[in-house]
Amino acid sequence: MDADWLPFHPNPTRPAYRPPAGAVDAHCHVFGPEAQFPYAPERKYTPCDAGKDQLFALRDFLGFSRNVVVQATCHGKDNRALVDALKASNGLARGVATVGEEITEAEIQALHDAGVRGVRFNFLKRLADFTPHDVLQRIAAKVAPFGWHVVVYFEAPDLVELQPLFTSLPTRVVVDHMGRPDVALGVEHPQFQRFLQWMSEDPDVWSKVSCPERLSLAGPPYDDVVPFQRAIVECFPDRVLWGTDWPHPNLKGHMADDGVLTDQIPKFATTEEARRRLLIDNPMALYWGDDRG
Ligand code: 0GY
């Protein structure tokens, strides 16, 4: 299978906005290299190789201190590339894995020791095959004793159907990319209001205010997504995370410039305190909290 999407930006802009010391890029991926870490046979797309050294170089270039590396569907339940990156990071990266219900306690412990702090459930039909909800509940029950959370990736119209599952999970639930709102509908539309309502009712729900490049209709610098990001950051300052989504798998049409994405941060996190929570306090509590005694 050939790569069927654009390669990551070869030469991102140096952002004018400099993140505070200790800032975390809390959503990014590593892909391969395929020769060392083959892609999963059941994958829906084949990415370009995007290894840990390139990720860590981008981190330094943009002015971030740490990464949270999220397992993407193209590596399936084979977390070796993720674990390899975490181990090479000198404690500066934590991870979110994909696992099956067959995982043993010893295997969870080994992932935990490598720096994994969550599992990801992916509900996008174009990315992953359906997994019965009782299987997902059993996975969540297995990882909950380790203090892990569940990262969920879904599209806004599916929240109604998925909310009972999410509410039943015994862990925190971290939503990828704001639950992919339809930007054309606007923040006042019941679809996005339902998302805000859910967050306000359930203190265990967090959201990443990431991926404007996937949601925007206007294109860079993605100003049409700012009202959505800003609404979530202002309502739930203690439960928001941000990430580049490097290397931006499956982007078609244009490739995101990670410097442009970084420069977007002050538009929706408009105070120094909001940015400190978004980029340092929240991700540190979620991913490095057990390091602090
Ligand atoms: C993202 C978004 C996408 C891909 C994946 O696991 C994945 O393959 O999450 C997407 O295609 O929208 O967060 O990287």
Side-chain angles (χ1 to χ4, degrees), residues 37-91:
F37 303 113
Y39 299 114
E42 73 273 19
R43 69 191 180 279
K44 307 289 188 208
Y45 65 91
T46 300
C48 300
D49 282 348
K52 60 182 185 290
D53 295 336
Q54 290 156 306
L55 175 65
F56 298 153
L58 180 75
R59 173 199 68 197
D60 296 345
F61 175 75
L62 296 175
F64 289 90
S65 302
R66 295 166 191 254
N67 297 109
V68 178
V69 184
V70 177
Q71 178 79 351
T73 52
C74 54
H75 273 302
K77 291 184 282 186
D78 179 350
N79 295 290
R80 281 178 299 161
L82 167 68
V83 164
D84 174 69
L86 301 183
K87 288 186 172 168
S89 76
N90 294 319

Side-chain angles (χ1 to χ4, degrees), residues 162-174:
L162 291 170
Q163 210 173 326
L165 167 69
F166 297 157
T167 304
S168 77
L169 300 178
T171 64
R172 281 182 180 143
V173 172
V174 179

